[in-house]
Amino acid sequence: QLINPVMPYQNGNQTVRVVLRNFGTATLNSAQLVYSVNGTNQTPFNFSGSLGSGDTALVSIGTFNFQLGTTYEVKAWAQS
């Protein structure tokens, strides 16, 4: 779940934050978190930690330089 940034996007570098949730039954120790801006994938973030079944974590996965007057579509997802 994408937490930050939110529309309307502020001008300049913004931290991209997501909520990572473990939907599995085993502890999640690692995941690759990816986000895209306007269909272009950004540098993946490699999460490592200990996230129990059903638990969540707020994770900062990168930054992006937003410009005023530009429309943006930001998406985030996890890959294993």
Side-chain angles (χ1 to χ4, degrees):
Q1 175 185 5
L2 183 67
I3 297 298
N4 191 63
V6 294
M7 290 179 27
Y9 301 117
Q10 296 179 12
N11 191 45
N13 285 322
Q14 302 296 316
T15 300
V16 178
R17 292 184 181 92
V18 298
V19 171
L20 177 62
R21 180 182 305 266
N22 181 359
F23 289 99
T25 56
T27 298
L28 179 67
N29 295 310
S30 64
Q32 187 175 66
L33 306 178
V34 183
Y35 73 103
S36 67
V37 179
N38 292 345
T40 301
N41 285 1
Q42 304 301 304
T43 303
F45 177 82
N46 292 310
F47 168 83
S48 64
S50 181
L51 198 59
S53 177
D55 288 345
T56 60
L58 181 61
V59 183
S60 297
I61 61 173
T63 60
F64 190 82
N65 188 13
F66 293 92
Q67 302 297 313
L68 288 178
T70 303
T71 301
Y72 292 99
E73 179 182 49
V74 181
K75 296 180 180 179
W77 63 95
Q79 299 180 160
S80 56

